Amino acid sequence: MRTPRRILATVALAAILSARADVVVVVSVRSPVQSLNAQQVEDIFLGRTRAPSADGPLEPVDLAEGSADRDDFYRRTAGMSATQITSYWAHMIFTGRGTPPLEIGSESAVRQLMSRNPRVLAYLPRKDVDDTMRIVFVPR
């Protein structure tokens, strides 16, 4: 009897993980940025660099703290948990070495901001990407 439970638990876990595995990094189609690599994405979202575009530096945008997509994004790109990200930014702010990305509460709000500002760099579930956005990186 334990074997069917284990199989069911494994299938359920795989379904949960695959549902979150589709977060992608996007820019506006109006942005000149065509692609980014893993190190560039990590550096931009952790405030280590402000990668330039033709219109000025890219402006990273985070989903709301506690969002499963946000947690998954940072785990996949920086190898950091939500707690580690919070601690990282607390340290950066305290030492005056950086400020965290602008936090936006929802995917639709990210979409609206991106429509007004072609320098926005964001991550969204692939299902929320529309024809006004370009995927520039897919976290592994």
Side-chain angles (χ1 to χ4, degrees):
M1 285 296 217
R2 285 192 172 171
T3 303
R5 285 185 186 166
R6 286 186 185 175
I7 292 170
L8 183 59
T10 302
V11 170
L13 180 60
I16 290 168
L17 292 176
S18 68
R20 291 192 192 142
D22 64 346
V23 173
V24 295
V25 179
V26 296
V27 294
S28 167
V29 293
R30 297 180 297 143
S31 172
V33 176
Q34 296 297 312
S35 69
L36 296 170
N37 64 41
Q39 191 63 55
Q40 289 171 313
V41 171
E42 180 180 337
D43 288 346
I44 293 167
F45 277 91
L46 294 179
R48 296 178 188 144
T49 187
R50 293 191 55 138
S53 72
D55 302 328
L58 292 174
E59 299 173 11
V61 173
D62 265 336
L63 292 176
E65 192 170 343
S67 158
D69 291 324
R70 176 179 170 151
D71 296 347
D72 185 54
F73 169 76
Y74 279 107
R75 182 180 54 77
R76 290 175 181 275
T77 57
M80 299 169 83
S81 69
T83 303
Q84 290 171 316
I85 288 296
T86 301
S87 176
Y88 172 84
W89 281 114
H91 176 75
M92 295 297 282
I93 292 166
F94 181 75
T95 59
R97 295 190 336 209
T99 56
L102 175 66
E103 189 174 303
I104 302 290
S106 69
E107 288 83 357
S108 62
V110 170
R111 194 175 300 112
Q112 290 174 353
L113 180 62
M114 191 172 284
S115 71
R116 294 189 310 268
N117 183 351
R119 295 185 325 205
V120 168
L121 178 69
Y123 52 88
L124 294 171
R126 186 183 296 267
K127 67 178 178 54
D128 291 332
V129 176
D130 62 26
D131 59 355
T132 66
M133 302 172 194
R134 176 183 308 117
I135 296 173
V136 293
F137 179 72
V138 179
R140 302 260 177 234

